[in-house]
Amino acid sequence: MQATLIPPGPEVGFDLGGSDESLARMREYGAKYGDIYRVFAPARGVYNIVINHPDDVRRVLLSNHRNYTKGEGMDRVKILLGNGIMTSEGDFWRRQRRMMQPSFHRRIIDRFATLIGTVNDKFSERWADKARRGEPVNITDDTSELTLEIVLQSIFGTDLARLEKQLGENPFEVVAKEPNRDLKFAFRFRSLTRLVADLIARRRAEPEEHFDFLAMLMATSDRDTGAPMGDKEMIDEVLTLIVAGHETTASSLTWTWYLLSRHPEVAATLQNAVDQTPPGNATSLDAALAAGFAHQVLQESLRLYPPGWLFTRRTLEADELGGFPIAPRTDVFICPYLLHRHRGFWDDPEAFRPQRFESVDVEERHRFAYIPFSVGPRHCIGENIAMFEMLVHLTTMSRRFELARSDDAPLEMEAQINLRLRSNLMMMVKTR
Ligand code: HEM
């Protein structure tokens, strides 16, 4: 009878969460038990459910999303991000998201083209200098610095340079310099609250024309009540955008260079494609997307190494997934890393083959087998700006340089909050 059905699963318990061991376990259990299984979580004394079928993913993230909140692990993220849109729930989340959504529209994102181009040009000069000296580029550090600079300038605009001058350093640098995401980091990061509050106060006291996310947050209002966003809410959203917008984009770029280093034939195709595009930086996301193969390379990189490799959701009421009844308050885990390598939905899934993102192939694929930016109402709000900056980076650098690693041994992966390389990616650059 339906009600007594229980998904299969291992006898021994294991607390699934953000660690390398979790990924290894999920891979093992998936091979053994299939697209839905349960694992006892000793820490909470409950069973967790893991799903890996696109139909169930669609149900949790889209068609029945109202029955789910975010799940296991969110308490830790809240310490860092407060009640920003990454962690908030219900009507509060809906209201905040509605107020922020227009700022991420493609038309608005296009206005960041000069910023994105200028920051990439600066790093291109830095790499040219390394090429002249015959020194390797630390890709991990540089993509981290580059994406942090773009996200900070897109939020604070000209105030960032003013702050740096006034304080003698960039106060937000800790985000790129400190790789650990522990309580110590959370404490240091939250202490930036004061600085953001001062900035808001200063802008109010000395009104000037600004074009940046902070200005947009300060100008937005609730469409039902007409009330502006409160200062506390605004600060949490700013801190959320910094963290969410920086690490994911940086690790995605690092993975892309890593994959290209291991597949020189793809790197050569990319260079050919880039050489066919007009010189200079793209002035819009559409123009950047016109370098079609660069987009496919990034999509394929996000398939193999999605920085957000594990999502959790928690049922409010009972649900049914994969034919099994799921109790209220059950944590459901979705692992894009494994979903993106599902043999039932991907041909030769372990291979790096950007061409699989040619439009004909995409149309034939299950839409919910590929979710690097998630799907449904809580999908990534920053997808457009992330794609824009990654495309500009990849085309700017491929046009000017050839990159190679000194040896092509595989590097180890680290699956913590984000999916990253465990060690720094060092590459030699040669001007073309
Ligand atoms: C390659 C880069 C990026 C990837 C792979 C990525 C991925 C994701 C994913 C998977 C989620 C959903 C997480 C979940 O549901 O548990 C998400 C949410 C979010 N992302 Fe991104 N992201 C990227 C870049 C950015 C950027 C550049 C920004 C902002 C400037 C951003 C801001 C956010 C925010 C605010 C949310 C929470 C949305 C909500 O819950 O309403 N992300 N992202």
Side-chain angles (χ1 to χ4, degrees):
M1 237 177 16
Q2 191 79 332
T4 57
L5 270 179
I6 294 170
E11 295 282 316
V12 288
F14 181 77
D15 288 307
L16 293 173
S19 80
D20 301 328
E21 165 123 43
S22 295
L23 183 53
R25 293 278 183 124
M26 283 192 278
R27 200 199 294 264
E28 179 197 325
Y29 297 155
K32 213 162 165 181
Y33 304 111
D35 287 345
I36 180 162
Y37 56 89
R38 65 172 199 166
V39 187
F40 185 70
R44 283 185 63 224
V46 293
Y47 278 97
N48 289 326
I49 299 290
V50 180
I51 56 171
N52 199 37
H53 193 289
D55 288 347
D56 293 331
V57 168
R58 171 172 41 207
R59 178 159 181 87
V60 172
L61 297 179
L62 186 66
S63 53
N64 197 25
H65 73 90
R66 283 186 183 275
N67 191 40
Y68 289 84
T69 61
K70 292 222 169 174
E72 172 68 20
M74 270 303 123
D75 301 348
R76 269 173 292 146
V77 184
K78 262 192 173 200
I79 297 174
L80 190 62
L81 302 182
N83 209 25
I85 56 168
M86 183 67 88
T87 52
S88 57
E89 297 288 354
D91 288 344
F92 179 81
W93 167 79
R94 231 178 314 282
R95 178 174 161 268
Q96 292 294 109
R97 175 98 191 196
R98 225 169 39 203
M99 286 204 269
M100 293 170 74
Q101 190 69 51
S103 310
F104 290 86
H105 192 278
R106 284 168 92 116
R107 219 171 355 93
I108 305 289
I109 295 310
D110 285 349
R111 293 182 61 191
F112 288 115
T114 308
L115 159 64
I116 291 172
T118 309
V119 175
N120 272 294
D121 287 345
K122 179 175 123 184
F123 278 81
S124 168
E125 286 312 309
R126 186 191 280 190
W127 287 17
D129 196 42
K130 293 273 186 190
R132 270 192 296 278
R133 293 162 191 251
E135 290 173 6
V137 168
N138 185 331
I139 300 284
T140 311
D141 280 358
D142 277 12
T143 54
S144 173
E145 251 187 76
L146 174 128
T147 53
L148 185 65
E149 195 165 332
I150 291 175
V151 83
L152 290 178
Q153 285 203 45
S154 67
I155 295 171
F156 300 118
T158 47
D159 276 345
L160 186 67
R162 199 182 45 74
L163 265 182
E164 276 177 0
K165 210 162 147 210
Q166 185 188 328
L167 302 171
E169 59 169 2
N170 177 349
F172 298 96
E173 235 168 28
V174 54
V175 180
K177 293 260 155 75
E178 174 54 66
N180 291 324
R181 291 292 174 260
D182 50 15
L183 274 179
K184 200 168 127 233
F185 172 78
F187 182 75
R188 282 187 70 187
F189 184 66
R190 291 302 300 180
S191 69
L192 296 167
T193 299
R194 189 70 263 142
L195 211 68
V196 182
D198 290 348
L199 252 176
I200 295 170
R202 192 191 143 103
R203 283 195 183 190
R204 285 210 184 101
E206 300 167 22
E208 261 181 69
E209 189 75 23
H210 288 277
F211 172 74
D212 48 43
F213 285 123
L214 182 59
M216 291 185 252
L217 289 176
M218 289 178 71
T220 188
S221 56
D222 185 315
R223 77 169 180 216
D224 295 332
T225 64
M229 196 182 285
D231 284 9
K232 190 183 162 304
E233 287 77 23
M234 204 155 16
I235 293 167
D236 281 350
E237 300 305 358
V238 163
L239 296 185
T240 294
L241 291 180
I242 295 175
V243 171
H246 160 249
E247 290 190 358
T248 40
T249 321
S251 53
S252 203
L253 284 177
T254 305
W255 282 118
T256 305
W257 287 121
Y258 172 69
L259 282 163
L260 289 170
S261 78
R262 295 181 55 76
H263 300 274
E265 71 294 350
V266 179
T269 310
L270 174 64
Q271 282 187 334
N272 275 336
V274 165
D275 290 347
Q276 314 297 318
T277 61
N281 288 318
T283 52
S284 67
L285 175 56
D286 270 349
L289 286 167
F293 192 66
H295 187 213
Q296 289 170 24
V297 167
L298 289 166
Q299 287 173 299
E300 177 70 338
S301 164
L302 283 162
R303 181 184 70 84
L304 284 170
Y305 298 107
W309 65 280
L310 187 66
F311 312 159
T312 62
R313 293 293 188 268
R314 187 169 290 167
T315 49
L316 290 167
E317 307 289 334
D319 198 5
E320 188 180 309
L321 295 171
F324 295 101
I326 309 292
R329 296 199 55 74
T330 303
D331 279 319
V332 177
F333 287 69
I334 300 171
C335 178
Y337 178 92
L338 294 174
L339 181 68
H340 292 176
R341 292 166 187 249
H342 194 307
R343 296 210 160 271
F345 298 93
W346 298 93
D347 185 25
D348 198 7
E350 304 296 322
F352 177 56
R353 248 186 27 217
Q355 287 83 351
R356 68 170 94 235
F357 283 92
E358 276 169 15
S359 52
V360 182
D361 294 353
V362 171
E363 278 158 25
E364 284 170 7
R365 193 175 304 132
H366 196 307
R367 220 184 110 209
F368 295 85
Y370 183 67
I371 54 167
F373 293 100
S374 190
V375 283
R378 296 209 70 148
H379 77 272
C380 178
I381 202 169
E383 177 172 353
N384 284 339
I385 190 164
M387 201 39 94
F388 194 7
E389 63 181 281
M390 292 195 295
L391 281 166
V392 170
H393 176 76
L394 205 55
T395 44
T396 306
M397 299 313 196
S398 301
R399 188 176 282 134
R400 189 163 180 192
F401 305 105
E402 252 160 39
L403 282 81
R405 277 173 69 212
S406 43
D407 72 271
D408 66 356
L411 293 176
E412 259 188 75
M413 180 171 82
E414 183 184 77
Q416 301 285 340
I417 293 179
N418 275 312
L419 200 63
R420 297 196 288 211
L421 278 167
R422 197 179 294 286
S423 51
N424 283 341
L425 176 65
M426 306 298 294
M427 290 180 84
M428 295 306 293
V429 284
K430 209 169 77 191
T431 309
R432 290 174 68 199

